[in-house]
Amino acid sequence: MFIKVTRRGPNRYVQLVEAYRDASTGRPKQRTIASLGRIDQLNTELNSVIAGLQRVTGQTPAALAPATPPVLSFEAARDFGDVYTLTELWNALGFDGLRGVFHHTRHRIDVEALIRVMVFNRLCDPDSKLGVLRWLETVALPGTSLESIDHQHLLRAMDALVDHKAEVDNVMASLLRPLVDQDLAMVFYDMTTIRAAGLSEQEGDLRHYGMAKVGVVERQVMLGVVQTSEGLPLYHEVFDGNTAEVTTIKGVIEKIVARFPIKRVIAVADRGLLSTENLADLQEIVLPGGNKLEFILAVPGRRYGDFVELLEPFHTKQCLPAKEEILGEAAWNKLRLIIAHDPQVSLDAGAKRDKRINELKAQADLWVGKLNDQDAGKKKPGRKLSDGGARAKFYREVCEAHLARIVKVNLKSELFTYDIDERALKHAKMMDGKLLLVTNAPDFTPEEVIKRYRSLADIERGFRVMKSEIEIGPIYHRLPDRIHAHATISFMALILYRVMRSRLRDSNTKISPERALDKLRRIQHQVVKVNDLEPIAALSSINHEHAEILQALTIKKPTLPAQLTLL
């Protein structure tokens, strides 16, 4: 016997049915033993029938049976929201095209997946390659099974990245090309130093001692990065740690022009490139299309003295009476010299310098008075002061204040003496609040030149991102190929970071990419097992803030086949 539900019109009825076989024909049939009534009208009476049948059969009625809570077992929760977002972005931009590069290679490992893991680690929790393995134990990468990978797999993937550099570069160029302005590419090129660890020497070693950006000599490699005015990274290259910037720019620009079908390239660079030799080299660079390389270069502060005579009439007539920022232009060595003067910055800089000079004067007068008293035989508390000691201390303080051109300390005199160079002080006041740019771009107004140069700060922020959020350095790899691979992985991470930043900005979301990933990381992946049933995978709830970030990044909400409401 069994329970059967039948339908008559709009109503459904519950029946107790018996199955039997017709004695004459042998065919199976059914007959209704009892009709228990309409389903929507059944109440506790049916429960009484069920309980009665259980008593007849010797079973404990369900109403009297003790409630047994389900046995739940939870696996450790894993971060999901951040790696899910990066995976969606990775595929949407076209980085998954790397699968085709490594699909027919001799490598049996999933090279694209391993590279993706290392790139995501740079953005989520940057660590060493061994640290990547520890990080993998805390995340749930969607659509990726990497439980069996080890340190050697990561290193082999890095080797494959270098072995197929040309194909990888083509994939990256193809995914970046649609994002580049085809009519005018404002190319920003700059180099930075990346500290390298280790004392061993390798054949073709990239690690050399040089002057780092922080002002100390250390073992390092040089990293050159090209970006658009919108902050999109286009190209990177690693150079020896003692390479001069000007020797690299021609080759890098030529590679950019070959990869991206742009009509015009204007290199904007900071103060390190401006010298007579560098300017001559830059003006001789001819692009593949036959056009000359155009540039906008900042004049370093130490060179401002070369422009005193040129700037004096402009300063007297326009800068001194100015109440707000003004722009001007002059000719210098057959190039355009663009001048920007900010009166408020000038006042602040002058006041700061005057205050420091007065402090130095007061300190010098104090020491001179003590020296004179000592010469007169007057005893003073404390250690005795000498002219040489006072001179050394004073000179050190002048140098630390960057005033050695103005406050002249006589290092050859036996007595402690100094003087103020009024001419140098006048020149310094003239240069306060000024920005000087040299360019050969013929059609830009001074306002446009200044605007283009000030965008250069964005590439410097890119270097800060690579050194802080992505943590490209210090580099612990010894082999040159591994250093190149490490730089490429960090560069891919920078592309994802910049695209995230651009989308968050466009949606007026006042949140940084690192903060967005931190918040999305709280979307957790959990596996739960109820009693002896099959395990169930689920995600923690996605709140309104998560949804806003995903919408700003144009990423759909993550879903799994099963969701547990208790998570």
Side-chain angles (χ1 to χ4, degrees):
M1 288 185 291
F2 59 93
I3 299 295
K4 181 179 180 181
V5 178
T6 61
R7 182 181 294 276
R8 295 176 187 173
N11 301 318
R12 293 190 300 165
Y13 297 83
V14 181
Q15 297 176 335
L16 183 62
V17 179
E18 180 187 35
Y20 70 97
R21 188 175 296 277
D22 189 289
S24 59
T25 62
R27 299 178 63 181
K29 291 187 177 181
Q30 297 179 357
R31 56 175 170 243
T32 301
I33 302 300
S35 180
L36 303 179
R38 285 168 50 180
I39 290 180
D40 59 334
Q41 294 179 349
L42 293 177
N43 48 33
T44 56
E45 295 177 357
L46 184 58
N47 293 332
S48 299
V49 174
I50 295 173
L53 291 173
Q54 288 179 324
R55 282 193 296 270
V56 170
T57 57
Q59 301 179 35
T60 303
L64 302 177
T68 303
V71 178
L72 300 178
S73 60
F74 296 83
E75 291 187 6
R78 291 173 175 251
D79 298 339
F80 180 80
D82 52 350
V83 291
Y84 164 81
T85 300
L86 292 173
T87 300
E88 293 292 307
L89 195 59
W90 177 273
N91 295 331
L93 291 177
F95 277 105
D96 54 350
L98 293 174
R99 297 171 190 165
V101 172
F102 303 108
H103 182 65
H104 300 292
T105 64
R106 60 180 175 83
H107 300 280
R108 296 182 179 179
I109 56 177
D110 189 344
V111 177
E112 183 271 339
L114 293 170
I115 292 172
R116 174 161 34 99
V117 164
M118 289 185 280
V119 171
F120 291 0
N121 174 257
R122 291 288 104 194
L123 291 164
C124 297
D125 186 18
D127 207 335
S128 65
K129 299 304 176 287
L130 288 173
V132 172
L133 302 180
R134 295 189 292 268
W135 172 72
L136 279 174
E137 297 175 355
T138 68
V139 300
L141 282 166
T144 305
S145 178
L146 297 172
E147 292 84 358
S148 61
I149 70 169
D150 58 27
H151 185 228
Q152 288 301 316
H153 289 150
L154 298 177
L155 297 181
R156 295 290 81 77
M158 295 177 71
D159 294 340
L161 192 61
V162 175
D163 292 342
H164 301 275
K165 183 179 184 302
E167 296 94 327
V168 171
D169 287 346
N170 289 336
V171 170
M172 294 178 64
S174 65
L175 67 91
L176 290 170
R177 199 172 290 121
L179 306 177
V180 178
D181 180 1
Q182 303 296 305
D183 294 326
L184 175 62
M186 291 299 302
V187 178
F188 296 79
Y189 178 67
D190 202 359
M191 292 182 69
T192 192
T193 57
I194 307 297
R195 186 164 67 89
L199 299 175
S200 64
E201 295 288 343
Q202 306 296 321
E203 183 178 354
D205 208 331
L206 297 172
R207 302 167 300 169
H208 295 278
Y209 286 95
M211 181 61 69
K213 294 293 184 181
V214 293
V216 298
V217 176
E218 61 183 10
R219 202 175 193 190
Q220 62 189 21
V221 299
M222 300 292 294
L223 177 68
V225 174
V226 180
Q227 290 184 181
T228 66
S229 57
E230 293 78 23
L232 178 68
L234 294 180
Y235 179 77
H236 81 286
E237 193 163 340
V238 179
F239 301 97
D240 289 355
N242 54 2
T243 304
E245 184 173 5
V246 70
T247 62
T248 66
I249 190 169
K250 180 179 180 180
V252 169
I253 294 299
E254 287 177 346
K255 291 174 183 177
I256 287 294
V257 173
R259 290 187 181 196
F260 302 99
I262 51 183
K263 299 177 181 178
R264 183 180 183 184
V265 176
I266 303 177
V268 183
D270 210 348
R271 294 169 171 82
L273 278 180
L274 189 72
S275 71
T276 304
E277 296 79 8
N278 293 351
L279 283 174
D281 292 340
L282 290 176
Q283 292 180 84
E284 291 178 359
I285 296 178
V286 179
L287 303 178
N291 295 327
K292 287 278 191 178
L293 173 70
E294 297 176 83
F295 54 81
I296 300 173
L297 304 178
V299 177
R302 67 180 182 276
R303 295 285 306 276
Y304 275 24
D306 301 344
F307 299 89
V308 170
E309 294 183 3
L310 187 63
L311 292 177
E312 194 162 11
F314 175 77
H315 176 76
T316 304
K317 294 179 181 178
Q318 299 189 45
C319 297
L320 290 180
K323 301 300 181 183
E324 57 185 21
E325 185 178 36
I326 61 171
L327 303 179
E329 180 176 343
W332 178 75
N333 287 356
K334 299 181 180 180
L335 296 170
R336 298 173 65 195
L337 178 68
I338 307 300
I339 309 155
H341 176 79
D342 190 324
Q344 187 58 51
V345 173
S346 176
L347 288 174
D348 294 342
K352 181 179 179 180
R353 181 179 52 251
D354 291 343
K355 178 182 177 183
R356 189 69 185 105
I357 290 176
N358 289 333
E359 290 173 348
L360 290 171
K361 286 181 176 180
Q363 181 64 65
D365 291 343
L366 182 64
W367 286 338
V368 168
K370 185 173 183 179
L371 290 170
N372 291 336
D373 289 342
Q374 288 178 176
D375 293 341
K378 296 180 181 179
K379 294 185 178 180
K380 293 282 186 178
R383 297 179 61 181
K384 188 175 181 180
L385 184 65
S386 67
D387 285 275
R391 180 171 57 250
K393 291 179 182 180
F394 188 70
Y395 182 69
R396 183 173 61 250
E397 292 192 15
V398 167
C399 292
E400 290 177 353
H402 304 289
L403 293 171
R405 293 188 179 185
I406 299 173
V407 182
K408 300 292 186 179
V409 182
N410 191 339
L411 300 177
K412 296 182 179 181
S413 173
E414 293 183 2
L415 300 178
F416 168 43
T417 60
Y418 74 94
D419 192 15
I420 302 297
D421 189 331
E422 296 296 340
R423 183 172 181 272
L425 180 59
K426 177 184 177 182
H427 290 171
K429 291 180 177 180
M430 183 187 302
M431 298 304 173
D432 286 342
K434 287 184 175 59
L435 170 66
L436 306 183
L437 302 175
V438 173
T439 181
N440 63 345
D443 54 344
F444 282 167
T445 65
E447 290 82 2
E448 290 173 325
V449 174
I450 295 294
K451 179 181 178 182
R452 297 293 188 269
Y453 172 75
R454 285 176 175 167
S455 298
L456 180 62
D458 204 46
I459 193 172
E460 295 172 348
R461 280 192 291 270
F463 281 135
R464 287 196 293 272
V465 168
M466 295 189 79
K467 291 184 177 182
S468 55
E469 281 78 11
I470 298 175
E471 293 187 17
I472 187 174
I475 295 176
Y476 293 99
H477 295 285
R478 299 177 297 108
L479 302 178
D481 283 353
R482 298 273 172 82
I483 294 176
H484 282 288
H486 177 75
T488 299
I489 289 168
S490 300
F491 183 74
M492 291 178 179
L494 180 62
I495 293 175
L496 292 175
Y497 182 97
R498 290 296 202 170
V499 172
M500 287 183 64
R501 189 192 68 159
S502 176
R503 294 186 180 184
L504 291 170
R505 278 185 174 182
D506 292 344
S507 63
N508 295 321
T509 304
K510 296 181 179 179
I511 186 172
S512 65
E514 56 268 26
R515 184 61 177 157
L517 290 175
D518 181 64
K519 290 182 177 295
L520 292 172
R521 190 174 297 123
R522 300 172 191 176
I523 302 176
Q524 301 278 303
H525 180 278
Q526 183 96 57
V527 175
V528 181
K529 188 175 182 181
V530 182
N531 295 333
D532 294 327
L533 301 177
E534 289 294 322
I536 302 173
L539 298 180
S540 59
S541 59
I542 300 174
N543 60 35
H544 180 68
E545 187 177 32
H546 296 151
E548 283 188 340
I549 295 173
L550 291 170
Q551 183 179 5
L553 294 172
T554 65
I555 302 294
K556 62 182 180 181
K557 292 182 181 179
T559 58
L560 287 179
Q563 285 273 9
L564 291 184
T565 57
L566 54 88
L567 288 180

